Amino acid sequence: MEDYFQQLVRSWRSVTSRTVREAVAVLLLLIVVFGSGFSALTTYAEVVIFDEDRFAEELAEIFDDEDVHKVVAASFIAATVEMADLPVTPAGSAGAEQTIQQEIPPVVGELLTNEANDRLLEQVVRAAHNDVLAVEGGTLVANPPVRSVQVDLGPIFNQMLDQVSANEELAFLGTVPPPFDAGVVTVLQRAEPGDRFWEFLGQLQDRRSSTITLILLCGIGALLISPSRTRVVWSIGTGIVAMAGILGVGIYGSRALLAVLIDNSDTVRAAQSIHEALLDDLSGRLMDMALIGILMIVVGATLGWLWRRFGPTPPEEKALAVPESNPVV
């Protein structure tokens, strides 16, 4: 009876110790999972958003998008109609508005896809990058004073005027001074929640290395502390997949939100095209992150099954085992 009682005490101590170790391991696992999400975001921000060269590279093809052509053409049409609607109507401008609306869109599409303008359009994107971001306290963050981001396509506008003026009905445009903001297209209306998000990422940049170190230490600690190391592996994998899924939902949710925030359907599609181009790198990183998580789940589950099938009996099970009484002769 005394031996049986001692076995129960040892069993209780073993179970209690196991519970504490599992609780600590779970805490470390949570740090690893949330840290991996922050690490993915800050890495993306550093590589793409906060780097002007990479930012310009990601948006290099955006002017090939037909929806962007429509937005630019609509802006150019408005400026050109304003030129034709002066207090003193230029000769030959009567009834020119319909011709303007027909002539400008194909010309704009041709100019925006012309290789001769590639360098100019790249400079436009770089200028927009400087409007989106600013350096404060040595950290690159969202630029607070700028409430909207505009691109100056004035040179493209002038090229467009030269071409459409060749039409006899629009020849008068060559003698009319364009508005001061002709060619300036608003591409982004700033919103405070978005600014706060980029500021948050900017603040995390300085802590990125320490965050990655913390993730590694917590992951190793969870492996060492947990009574079931294989469970730790697939648990981390599950958490990483879940975190990648949450961030992915956030990406597509923010894209869908553009349709609610913007009234004009052409502008919505253009904004969504810019959104996809700018976040394509992050989507790829999240996909890689999910694949790594799935691999960890498979490896952890496989090793766990092999250990349970062929490994030694756990100590707590041995402690609970009660030896059979000697048979009575």
Side-chain angles (χ1 to χ4, degrees), residues 19-42:
T19 302
V20 172
R21 290 164 60 193
E22 285 183 342
V24 174
V26 168
L27 179 61
L28 294 177
L29 288 176
L30 290 175
I31 295 175
V32 171
V33 170
F34 283 103
S36 65
F38 286 129
S39 179
L41 288 175
T42 54

Side-chain angles (χ1 to χ4, degrees), residues 41-72:
L41 288 175
T42 54
T43 300
Y44 160 75
E46 180 178 15
V47 171
V48 178
I49 299 300
F50 293 163
D51 184 271
E52 183 179 317
D53 292 333
R54 184 61 182 276
F55 183 89
E57 180 184 339
E58 292 295 315
L59 293 179
E61 307 296 328
I62 197 62
F63 289 107
D64 293 337
D65 190 277
E66 291 185 1
D67 292 315
V68 174
H69 294 177
K70 292 178 181 178
V71 172
V72 175

